[in-house]
Amino acid sequence: MTDAGKNTNTIAAQVTGKPTLKTISKLSGLAIPTVSRALSDAPDISEKTKKKIREIAAEIGYVPNRAGVRLRTGKTLVISLILGPDSELMPHTAQLIGSIARALRETPYHLNVTPYLPDDDPMKPIRQIVENRLADAVILNRTQADDPRVAYLLEKQFPFATHGRTNMSDRHAYFDYDNAAFGDFAVRHLAARGRKRIALLAPKQNQLYATHMIEGALAAATDCGVSLTVLDDVDSDARIDEIRAAIALRLKDNPDVDALITASGVAAMAAAAGAKSAGREVDIFGKEATSILRFCNPNILTLREDAARAGAFLAEAVVAALNDPLGAPKQGLQVPSEADFNLA
Amino acid sequence: MTDAGKNTNTIAAQVTGKPTLKTISKLSGLAIPTVSRALSDAPDISEKTKKKIREIAAEIGYVPNRAGVRLRTGKTLVISLILGPDSELMPHTAQLIGSIARALRETPYHLNVTPYLPDDDPMKPIRQIVENRLADAVILNRTQADDPRVAYLLEKQFPFATHGRTNMSDRHAYFDYDNAAFGDFAVRHLAARGRKRIALLAPKQNQLYATHMIEGALAAATDCGVSLTVLDDVDSDARIDEIRAAIALRLKDNPDVDALITASGVAAMAAAAGAKSAGREVDIFGKEATSILRFCNPNILTLREDAARAGAFLAEAVVAALNDPLGAPKQGLQVPSEADFNLA
DNA sequence: AGAAAAATCTATAACGTTTTAGATTTTAGA
DNA sequence: TCTAAAATCTAAAACGTTATAGATTTTTCT
């Protein structure tokens, strides 16, 4: 303590500025490549050296410079989530984003968000990412059956995972909700409540999720001995009175219908409003992403879709695809369970 | 056409691989630094040269390599959005994220998402970003009055903007909802509907937004000649029957109350459910982020909070802070207007 | 026309990393 | 003990960019 300032007994204290491999190199007396190889656990570095270098690295808090790694390796260490305009309006998207990002904390990858607008060409952001190497992989949030983005990514052999299946699902990683099981569950539940004539609101365009839902619902309806009608979904972007009127009209056209199945929580609320204005007592069964509906109309029954689980799975799936490009793509389905069921 | 393959008349066709400054350098016969400086419009490059280089760059589709730029300049070209655990559950967070990212498309910055969990130290991600230079700036989503993250960022002079004000708001960029105006609007509206005894549900902890809300509501109540009571908010994470009971209890304790003001749409729905179970006819006025409530209970009145506007503002504010670190921080408030008002 | 000044361009270096090939040291084998 | 092989380390180069200082050319002035 007399030789003031000289006897700093920690190495860390001697370091100024952000530590790099050079810092460790100087501190250890070993060459920079040796340090680099030691930290990446290369076989031609002795255990003794590795230990020494790792200790120094830990002590001075060395973190590899991403720009350096990127420039050298050509990797970006970024995974990009493609966000369509409709994704933003879905209440569970934030949870999806958060859970992906949280899962990626265990990896060197960072999550970045690439949005596009309704007027934009959905291919543009994808092409930019692939061509300019803005990310090492992408996650597509809402896919269509014959999604051109999926076709493009497959052709370019660019790693990706999707939230939602496609026609090409056997060839790529995905996570999806098991909508067939949802349709089955909804019909059986409504039938058990004594409902006999169930209608299902499905979008006019041939969406895969709707196909699955109808499939499951139809089979269950046959099994339970109740009738199932598929009706055109209403435009949930329309004004509220228009939505109400549209729902009421469908109910008027189908006077025997005593239950409605909808694909989303918002649609369920719209359906409830429409049924009320038509003066009809119908049960409504919807798939919801957040549990906001539980406060609502007692006739609304829901199954919760777990966005956090989807996000965690997608993150793992896309990292797996990066680590093993030739391996079988990871694929997952959320099968609805009683635990997801909320009475309003 | 006879000299097959040789007479490609476009420069682009001669380029193989991703074009770099080197490519343009070879194509133009000029040195790499000249190309670089020409593209950044440096004063010591002739207009003729600039034009030539810009043309070649455009033709071959040159895009600067981010890793190269980053390594050289020390900038990351990344702006990080810090997402707390509660942010994920708010339905408008996705819109906020999307609108920030969309606004950033006009800039060289990319948006990445840094989440943290309830158990995590909220300071940790911030410190990591600052210390390891993982981003050039951050956006904080939900701030507290004396937010330690804000204090830290101010001390480190790290560029940032917040969604929500703090005690230090005069020193940083922010966007916030004008909760005082919301309180004012809600009270006046309820008073105009003939309500006389209004209660406001506010969180126990001293949140800035609640302070503002109460402030505005109190002044308006005095002005309109109605009474205003502030009640403890209920825990919206609790089970539905607990929430119902809690709301009902508050109404029982305040038998004259004929209207409730809540800070969020979810809280409004919870309040509606509670009021119903207490057998009370009260109007409910809530601030909501999405327009989901319009389908709901006719007694729920809402003002819409525009998350997209907040996101766009925050993106601009943070980029402004990056471009002019010494300039006055951009600050914005969303003042509620009749246009945001939705009758259920 | 010649020198000084201005305009325009280039060579070099550096950011931090990893890969390759080669150098050195140590160990094993005879 | 000497050589061959194995183990361990290092030198050099490269990824693509920009900053600095210096070189060259052109213009301006006397």
Side-chain angles (χ1 to χ4, degrees), chain B residues 21 36 62 65 68 72:
Chain B
L21 290 182
S36 172
Y62 169 73
N65 179 301
R72 177 61 231 227

Side-chain angles (χ1 to χ4, degrees), chain A residues 21 36 62 65 68 72:
Chain A
L21 291 182
S36 171
Y62 168 74
N65 178 301
R72 175 62 232 222

Side-chain angles (χ1 to χ4, degrees), chain A residues 177-191 195-202 208-231 259-263 285 303 336:
Chain A
Y177 189 85
D178 189 341
N179 285 292
F182 168 74
D184 179 88
F185 190 107
V187 166
R188 287 182 196 283
H189 197 90
L190 291 168
R195 301 296 169 171
K196 301 277 183 223
R197 306 199 150 269
I198 304 172
L200 191 154
L201 288 170
L208 218 45
Y209 80 87
T211 311
H212 293 145
M213 226 170 89
I214 294 168
E215 209 174 278
L218 271 179
T222 308
D223 197 41
C224 296
V226 302
S227 82
L228 188 97
T229 323
V230 177
L231 302 178
L260 277 174
I261 298 177
T262 68
F285 204 116
L303 273 177

Side-chain angles (χ1 to χ4, degrees), chain A residues 41-288:
Chain A
D41 204 23
D44 66 342
I45 306 290
S46 72
E47 276 308 322
K48 205 179 108 194
T49 308
K50 279 181 189 171
K51 182 161 174 285
K52 180 173 160 190
I53 287 179
R54 280 199 273 253
E55 279 171 4
I56 297 178
E59 183 161 1
I60 66 179
Y62 168 74
V63 176
N65 178 301
R66 305 195 118 222
V69 175
R70 282 194 260 231
L71 184 55
R72 175 62 232 222
T73 65
K75 307 206 160 203
T76 62
L77 302 182
V78 165
I79 289 170
S80 197
L81 174 68
I82 313 296
L83 224 56
D86 47 344
S87 305
E88 282 183 36
L89 298 174
M90 312 204 60
H92 70 293
T93 300
Q95 243 183 310
L96 186 76
I97 297 172
S99 55
I100 295 174
R102 269 181 281 131
L104 289 180
R105 292 196 303 186
E106 317 292 318
T107 76
Y109 298 100
H110 286 179
L111 179 67
N112 92 10
V113 172
T114 307
Y116 62 92
L117 289 167
D119 301 334
D120 295 338
D121 174 11
M123 290 298 293
K124 198 178 158 200
I126 303 278
R127 262 199 283 262
Q128 277 188 348
I129 288 169
V130 172
E131 285 168 11
N132 299 329
R133 195 62 193 270
L134 301 181
D136 295 334
V138 300
I139 298 175
L140 301 180
N141 183 24
R142 293 179 69 75
T143 47
Q144 309 221 283
D146 58 343
D147 202 302
R149 302 171 301 171
V150 171
Y152 175 79
L153 291 167
L154 281 173
E155 188 209 320
K156 294 287 181 185
Q157 302 198 48
F158 196 86
F160 71 105
T162 67
H163 190 204
R165 278 167 286 181
T166 69
N167 284 341
M168 301 149 272
S169 281
D170 51 328
R171 291 196 279 152
H172 64 81
Y174 66 78
F175 188 88
D176 203 356
Y177 189 85
D178 189 341
N179 285 292
F182 168 74
D184 179 88
F185 190 107
V187 166
R188 287 182 196 283
H189 197 90
L190 291 168
R193 279 169 72 98
R195 301 296 169 171
K196 301 277 183 223
R197 306 199 150 269
I198 304 172
L200 191 154
L201 288 170
K204 283 153 289 249
Q205 317 93 299
N206 224 22
Q207 298 277 27
L208 218 45
Y209 80 87
T211 311
H212 293 145
M213 226 170 89
I214 294 168
E215 209 174 278
L218 271 179
T222 308
D223 197 41
C224 296
V226 302
S227 82
L228 188 97
T229 323
V230 177
L231 302 178
D232 278 355
D233 204 355
V234 299
D235 177 13
S236 62
D237 289 337
R239 285 185 19 239
I240 175 137
D241 48 349
E242 291 171 356
I243 294 179
R244 275 212 192 96
I247 297 271
L249 183 67
R250 280 162 186 67
L251 288 172
K252 201 165 294 172
D253 288 346
N254 299 270
D256 298 335
V257 162
D258 53 14
L260 277 174
I261 298 177
T262 68
S264 77
V266 181
M269 293 184 74
K276 197 171 184 182
S277 82
R280 291 276 283 278
E281 260 286 330
V282 299
D283 277 346
I284 292 161
F285 204 116
K287 188 181 65 180
E288 71 163 331

Side-chain angles (χ1 to χ4, degrees), chain B residues 285-308:
Chain B
F285 205 114
K287 186 181 66 178
E288 71 163 331
T290 63
S291 47
I292 195 172
L293 258 60
R294 61 186 177 153
F295 297 114
C296 210
N297 192 306
N299 283 347
I300 298 186
L301 315 165
T302 60
L303 273 177
R304 197 175 64 94
E305 181 176 342
D306 192 347

